[in-house]
Amino acid sequence: MITRSTPPVAASQYDDNEIVNPTASAHMDDILAARLSRRSALKGGVSATTAALLGGLGLTACGGGNSTATENPKALVLGFNAVAKNLSDWVTVPDGYQVSILHALGDPLQFGDESWKNDGSETADSYNRRVGDGHDGMYFFGLSEDGKYDAGRSDRGLLAVNHEYVVQPYGLHPAGITAGAARVASEVEKEIYAHGVSVAEVKRGTGNDMSMVRGSRFNRRITSATEMAFTGPAKGSALVKTKFSTDGLKTRGTNNNCANGYTPWGTYLTCEENWLNVVARAAGDNAQRAAKEVVGLNRYGLPENRKNPYLWDTAGTSDLFVRWTSSVTGATAADDYRNIANTFGWVVEIDPFNATSTPAKRTALGRFNHEGAWPAPAVVGQPIVMYMGDDARNEYIYKFVSKAVWDANDVNGGMTAGSKYLDEGTLYVAKFNADGSGQWLELTFGKNGIDASNASYAFADQADVVTHARIAADVRGATKMDRPEWGGVNPLNGEAYMTLTNNSNRVATTATPTGSQLKPDAANPRYYEDMKGTTSQKGNPNGHIIRWREANGSVAATSFAWDIYLFAAQSDAASNVNLSGLTAVNDFSSPDGLYFDPRGLLWIQTDDGAYTDVTNCMMLAAVPGKVGDGGTATAAGGTATVKGANATADNVRRFLVGPKDCEITGIAVTPDGKTLFFNVQHPGENGSLNSPTSAWPASQTETGSTKRPRSATVVVTRKDSGTIGV
Ligand code: FEO
Ligand code: CA
Ligand code: CA
Ligand code: CA
């Protein structure tokens, strides 16, 4: 979310709710599937298709070794008292747990820069060596004594953290953003360097608490100005040629890095979500473009005459600022930045173990509002698989399957291994049928109408397909989802999960949708009204979590069985809204972050604006079952769906609540389960510099603190040095 209390006025404020998927709603297969569903619902059970899928699934490709679908070999049992919902301005953890702050906005990673001063006086340049803003996705990589990736190491590691955006107007500038039509160059420069990723070495001292190792040779910042390479199908394509890189082989910056991923060879994946925050397009630009280009720009939410909320392009004539204008100003693409939008929306791979390595935009994984990229457990001889979501209303869930199969000798292979597994493969998009079955639809140039004959957009080649993955997915009739956020794969049984945070764009089944509105479907089934105080919120205001199991347990399968693991809701909501039976110990709204820790414990984090009259955002721990452990249900609004087993106090429990006006996001747990990291993003986002609503993290320990709120990474440990959560 973007908060600017003293903004230069932008033509179109962008947030991650913006709808840009204009394609017609019901695909013919959806209609057929809906009819089938009604029939099977009448018969009172899951369909034959689903039963066959569920019955035929083996688990041979899963990482859990001796795991089975019917019992949990680790016998994970939640072992803490649920934290109550609350509106305190600090992190509340269960009895017996403690927290410390690892790092916050502005903390110096190296020696030579002063400590953060609480007055915004830090120089722009120093943010190339300071912790950035808007902490989001992250990953812990165990670090061996010889500086290599050691997946089993818990007491020393590298923590890679995304810095998604700048939380205005708090920490960064002396007095917030200077008002005016044009931005102040030094402020924009500081914002450019406060975005991106930080890599910091972390180490245990006494007990299991962790501290940052200031001055470590591994500490590094990657920003919105860092040079990086294009690899995969779009490398060298005319679509990514710019004045900076006339051959389309490289670009500068990764931006609005939301969630993340990691690879089994020991690299970090950071994903570019709301890059429309920084890209503008001038009035009259359509006339300078081929019709096809305009279709592509519009489908990605960049119509002509669109200012960007950050107005970085207005800060001066330096190339550092001009490059944020995606408009035709020169004779060719080599003379301007008309293609700058095509240089964002990718998955970026970073080798945290080599501080001088060049990050790579892995274009084979497609371009969209990339929330994250989550691997299935790697199995020798099987392809590497990444699950991905496009976080905007009505967008899609994707899967990438590598051409190369996993060779465990590639651990510590760095960017070379990355090229081997992530530059060649097959991109798919998900279609969820109403009967609980689903298909992965291939997005390959020359197949299934994804070619130059396509009426809405004439695809030229695979570079065009990955750059315009949304349009290719439209062609295939993929299922439009309620804003895909984080995903993860259960290491104990191989099932994949993804949060669908909320969607205000669903309308009642009896309504006539207008514009991009959609009626509910089985995978996004609820339509209801939720009151936040006296404010009515309609659609699916609380969100849900979907999960799927690949056919025959094969990560490369092209069909799957799905159900809805959890429906978020207030515990006092109607039973056809609170379909998972949440109670006071586990009710929540707007799931966003999701993470299976190495033990198979599931963590759910919220970024909510619906239940925040009652509680701040939170994190829950869960011991999930499996696809098919519930049954059919009829959701509020009358749509039939397939749901998982009900939540109980034993299998879903609230672990912590964050400070005021924050989002809880980003999580990592050490292999021994004894240190947990999570991020607090934008505490106090509804306040202002003169009227703050939060003083966190200072308020965690200082009563009555008036310090500026800052995004930060928190370390959670148990006072008795035990394992977290169980
Ligand atoms: Fe940056 Fe979709 O959350
Ligand atoms: Ca409410
Ligand atoms: Ca998110
Ligand atoms: Ca969110």
Side-chain angles (χ1 to χ4, degrees):
M1 281 186 271
I2 310 304
T3 300
R4 316 195 85 163
S5 60
T6 55
V9 177
S12 159
Q13 277 291 71
Y14 181 80
D15 67 27
D16 57 3
N17 285 333
E18 188 156 316
I19 304 161
V20 288
N21 188 346
T23 53
S25 46
H27 190 262
M28 184 51 73
D29 289 356
D30 295 328
I31 296 162
L32 288 172
R35 285 182 189 147
L36 282 170
S37 167
R38 274 196 296 278
R39 275 210 323 257
S40 58
L42 284 172
K43 283 190 279 184
V46 294
S47 72
T49 315
T50 309
L53 272 167
L54 292 171
L57 287 171
L59 290 163
T60 49
C62 303
N66 60 348
S67 63
T68 73
T70 51
E71 61 179 355
N72 183 336
K74 308 274 184 187
L76 290 168
V77 177
L78 299 180
F80 59 92
N81 293 325
V83 166
K85 297 184 288 285
N86 69 72
L87 294 165
S88 303
D89 191 30
W90 53 80
V91 174
T92 313
V93 289
D95 295 338
Y97 286 79
Q98 58 196 358
V99 299
S100 67
I101 307 302
L102 184 88
H103 62 45
L105 163 72
D107 287 346
L109 290 161
Q110 308 292 353
F111 294 104
D113 292 305
E114 289 183 282
S115 296
W116 184 79
K117 282 190 185 151
N118 195 47
D119 61 6
S121 63
E122 293 79 19
T123 64
D125 171 68
S126 75
Y127 271 88
N128 285 306
R129 301 174 300 277
R130 292 182 187 274
V131 172
D133 205 352
H135 293 53
D136 208 327
M138 67 178 160
Y139 197 74
F140 174 87
F141 297 91
L143 177 65
S144 69
E145 292 307 315
D146 60 352
K148 299 265 179 36
Y149 175 46
D150 177 354
R153 184 98 186 232
S154 290
D155 62 336
R156 185 184 178 204
L158 301 180
L159 192 72
V161 176
N162 286 349
H163 298 290
E164 186 185 25
Y165 74 102
V166 291
V167 183
Q168 300 297 349
Y170 284 121
L172 216 52
H173 304 310
I177 291 173
T178 302
R183 295 292 314 277
V184 173
S186 60
E187 291 177 9
V188 172
E189 197 175 349
K190 196 190 282 192
E191 292 173 18
I192 287 170
Y193 301 148
H195 276 75
V197 175
S198 63
V199 177
E201 184 180 343
V202 296
K203 215 172 182 176
R204 282 182 183 157
T206 52
N208 301 317
D209 191 23
M210 291 257 193
S211 303
M212 180 171 82
V213 181
R214 188 174 174 182
S216 165
R217 70 185 171 94
F218 297 102
N219 292 1
R220 178 183 192 186
R221 279 303 317 283
I222 287 148
T223 76
S224 295
T226 302
E227 191 170 312
M228 39 196 77
F230 279 113
T231 69
K235 172 186 177 183
S237 161
L239 293 165
V240 295
K241 288 180 178 172
T242 60
K243 188 177 178 181
F244 175 71
S245 178
T246 57
D247 55 10
L249 297 180
K250 60 181 185 176
T251 185
R252 280 168 301 179
T254 185
N255 220 84
N256 301 102
N257 304 82
C258 189
N260 64 297
Y262 57 92
T263 70
W265 51 97
T267 61
Y268 186 64
L269 303 177
T270 185
C271 300
E272 300 174 337
E273 187 195 21
N274 292 321
W275 44 272
L276 284 171
N277 283 336
V278 294
V279 179
R281 196 151 80 89
D285 190 57
N286 282 354
Q288 310 295 316
R289 305 262 191 174
K292 178 182 153 177
E293 285 178 79
V294 175
V295 170
L297 289 159
N298 288 341
R299 182 64 181 84
Y300 279 77
L302 193 55
E304 65 175 354
N305 193 25
R306 181 190 183 275
K307 294 184 181 176
N308 61 76
Y310 283 33
L311 298 175
W312 282 357
D313 57 309
T314 66
T317 55
S318 156
D319 200 60
L320 188 67
F321 310 127
V322 169
R323 62 173 295 225
W324 303 105
T325 305
S326 180
S327 305
V328 174
T329 58
T332 72
D335 302 305
D336 59 26
Y337 290 99
R338 69 185 67 179
N339 288 329
I340 194 72
N342 293 341
T343 72
F344 293 108
W346 303 106
V347 175
V348 177
E349 184 178 19
I350 295 166
D351 182 0
F353 294 89
N354 180 355
T356 60
S357 58
T358 302
K361 300 212 174 191
R362 300 295 188 195
T363 67
L365 282 69
R367 172 177 164 266
F368 36 88
N369 279 25
H370 247 117
E371 179 79 17
W374 295 277
V379 177
V380 170
Q382 299 275 320
I384 296 295
V385 168
M386 294 282 171
Y387 295 107
M388 304 175 287
D390 182 353
D391 182 8
R393 288 184 286 179
N394 307 350
E395 293 297 347
Y396 306 125
I397 291 172
Y398 296 82
K399 163 172 140 173
F400 173 80
V401 179
S402 70
K403 181 178 175 192
V405 296
W406 177 235
D407 176 349
N409 292 318
D410 286 324
V411 173
N412 276 303
M415 302 302 287
T416 304
S419 294
K420 175 178 173 183
Y421 295 106
L422 299 180
D423 286 344
E424 275 190 276
T426 307
L427 187 63
Y428 297 91
V429 68
K431 177 176 170 52
F432 294 85
N433 300 319
D435 63 355
S437 66
Q439 279 88 42
W440 292 110
L441 307 171
E442 184 175 349
L443 305 179
T444 299
F445 178 75
K447 292 185 179 177
N448 305 298
I450 303 175
D451 54 32
S453 73
N454 181 52
S456 62
Y457 185 91
F459 290 96
D461 51 23
Q462 189 64 15
D464 207 2
V465 172
V466 294
T467 305
H468 297 98
R470 282 180 173 176
I471 302 176
D474 295 341
V475 171
R476 296 302 318 272
T479 303
K480 298 171 171 63
M481 308 301 288
D482 285 351
R483 296 187 53 205
E485 295 258 23
W486 287 52
V489 180
N490 186 341
L492 302 177
N493 68 9
E495 293 183 355
Y497 286 60
M498 194 165 282
T499 58
L500 298 161
T501 195
N502 53 54
N503 191 349
S504 56
N505 203 41
R506 297 273 167 197
V507 295
T509 49
T510 51
T512 303
T514 59
S516 58
Q517 289 179 331
L518 291 174
K519 292 185 181 185
D521 59 31
N524 306 273
R526 287 185 302 180
Y527 174 82
Y528 59 102
E529 179 178 25
D530 173 58
M531 297 304 294
K532 180 185 174 188
T534 56
T535 307
S536 166
Q537 301 184 330
K538 289 181 179 171
N540 176 16
N542 302 122
H544 56 285
I545 303 173
I546 202 164
R547 64 182 170 185
W548 58 88
R549 186 192 308 183
E550 302 286 7
N552 305 314
S554 165
V555 288
T558 55
S559 63
F560 56 86
W562 65 268
D563 71 10
I564 294 177
Y565 162 57
L566 269 187
F567 287 92
Q570 295 185 205
S571 58
D572 59 0
S575 60
N576 62 359
V577 171
N578 185 14
L579 281 160
S580 297
L582 303 180
T583 63
V585 299
N586 56 21
D587 63 339
F588 68 102
S589 176
S590 299
D592 188 337
L594 180 146
Y595 169 73
F596 277 97
D597 77 19
R599 302 165 294 175
L601 200 58
L602 174 62
W603 298 90
I604 300 163
Q605 303 173 310
T606 69
D607 171 18
D608 184 40
Y611 207 7
T612 44
D613 50 335
V614 173
T615 183
N616 296 336
C617 287
M618 65 181 70
M619 185 161 90
L620 306 104
V623 180
K626 62 189 174 92
V627 171
D629 63 8
T632 55
T634 302
T639 303
T641 188
V642 188
K643 67 182 275 289
N646 272 3
T648 68
D650 289 335
N651 63 27
V652 188
R653 200 177 292 174
R654 190 177 304 104
F655 182 76
L656 65 81
V657 175
K660 285 182 183 168
D661 294 350
C662 80
E663 164 183 348
I664 302 295
T665 183
I667 172 165
V669 175
T670 53
D672 65 6
K674 293 186 172 180
T675 307
L676 181 151
F677 305 88
F678 74 95
N679 286 324
V680 172
Q681 193 191 63
H682 64 65
E685 78 162 347
N686 296 325
S688 66
L689 200 54
N690 293 326
S691 183
T693 56
S694 171
W696 194 89
S699 59
Q700 189 75 37
T701 52
E702 300 170 24
T703 306
S705 173
T706 56
K707 290 201 176 116
R708 296 179 179 204
R710 293 191 283 167
S711 297
T713 297
V714 184
V715 185
V716 182
T717 52
R718 254 170 71 167
K719 291 175 182 170
D720 67 359
S721 300
T723 52
I724 309 280
V726 295

